[in-house]
Amino acid sequence: MNKGIAMHSTVQSQRVWDPLVRIFHWSTVLLCSLNWFVLEEGDTAHRWVGYAVGILLIIRLVWGLVGSYYARFGQWWPTPSRLRQYLQAMRARRHPYYLGHNPVGSLMVLALMLGLCGTALTGWMTTWDAFWGEDWLEELHGFFANGVLTLAGIHAAVVLLLDRLTRSDLLHAMVFGSKRVPPGIKVEDARP
């Protein structure tokens, strides 16, 4: 776990997610929902929404390298030691409090981003002359899209569960950018 560990005696509000991260998150939710549930597969609007998701991903990947502290991949990258320590704590019925992503949540973020990249790339490739009408590519595109939908459902359910277990304010933070840290809580990934 990170060296930055903080404990407070009063409720603290800690800035976690900057506007770019929150706009990326909720725009991706909206755009993917449009493509899954509203727009017709293969239509022009479906494609443009997919391109928008691709552009958002590029921006987020760059921001993961140069952005704010909790937006940077290096801050929350799920190393084997971070994962091992987190899972050991969970097995011992301790629920470590993270301002940013916990190590298992980091795996979910990476899986979602990879799935979105795969969906956007294969969707774009279906418009290329070389792949026009290729069933295998459309099936791969559907595989990625359905995988993202499944992961997004798991992600949402776990966020709600962890909010109840750890009172970690995850949903509030993704909407407003700040987390309320209860008194006496050890923050595992406090900003140095």
Side-chain angles (χ1 to χ4, degrees):
M1 295 186 198
N2 288 359
K3 293 176 185 166
I5 296 175
M7 290 183 74
H8 303 283
S9 58
T10 60
V11 173
Q12 300 284 317
S13 182
Q14 298 286 325
R15 197 74 164 144
V16 180
W17 304 122
D18 62 59
L20 195 142
V21 169
R22 297 190 328 264
I23 289 168
F24 166 79
H25 181 273
W26 294 112
S27 296
T28 302
V29 169
L30 174 67
L31 293 171
C32 288
S33 296
L34 283 173
N35 265 359
W36 283 316
F37 306 118
V38 177
L39 300 174
E40 190 64 34
E41 204 175 297
D43 279 358
T44 302
H46 179 91
R47 285 193 182 117
W48 282 103
V49 165
Y51 299 150
V53 170
I55 291 167
L56 284 171
L57 279 164
I58 291 167
I59 292 168
R60 180 61 183 97
L61 292 172
V62 170
W63 196 241
L65 300 173
V66 300
S68 63
Y69 180 74
Y70 289 104
R72 291 186 184 189
F73 300 132
Q75 189 278 326
W76 52 264
W77 195 261
T79 64
S81 67
R82 287 178 180 171
L83 282 164
R84 184 176 51 258
Q85 289 173 349
Y86 181 77
L87 292 172
Q88 286 171 345
M90 295 297 283
R91 265 191 299 252
R93 298 192 184 271
R94 293 189 319 269
H95 300 284
Y97 190 96
Y98 286 80
L99 287 173
H101 295 299
N102 70 51
V104 174
S106 299
L107 289 177
M108 177 59 82
V109 171
L110 291 174
L112 283 164
M113 284 189 171
L114 287 171
L116 287 167
C117 286
T119 305
L121 179 62
T122 56
W124 180 43
M125 288 172 65
T126 62
T127 66
W128 299 0
D129 288 340
F131 298 112
W132 186 259
E134 290 287 344
D135 288 338
W136 68 268
L137 185 58
E138 290 181 19
E139 288 175 17
L140 185 58
H141 179 69
F143 170 80
F144 279 119
N146 290 329
V148 169
L149 180 60
T150 301
L151 290 172
I154 293 168
H155 168 67
V158 169
V159 163
L160 295 174
L161 177 65
L162 277 178
D163 257 358
R164 291 189 71 89
L165 285 175
T166 65
R167 301 185 191 248
S168 58
D169 231 4
L170 294 169
L171 190 57
H172 181 272
M174 194 46 74
V175 174
F176 299 105
S178 297
K179 272 189 173 180
R180 295 176 295 242
V181 181
I185 293 292
K186 177 181 167 186
V187 176
E188 301 292 338
D189 63 342
R191 196 176 313 217

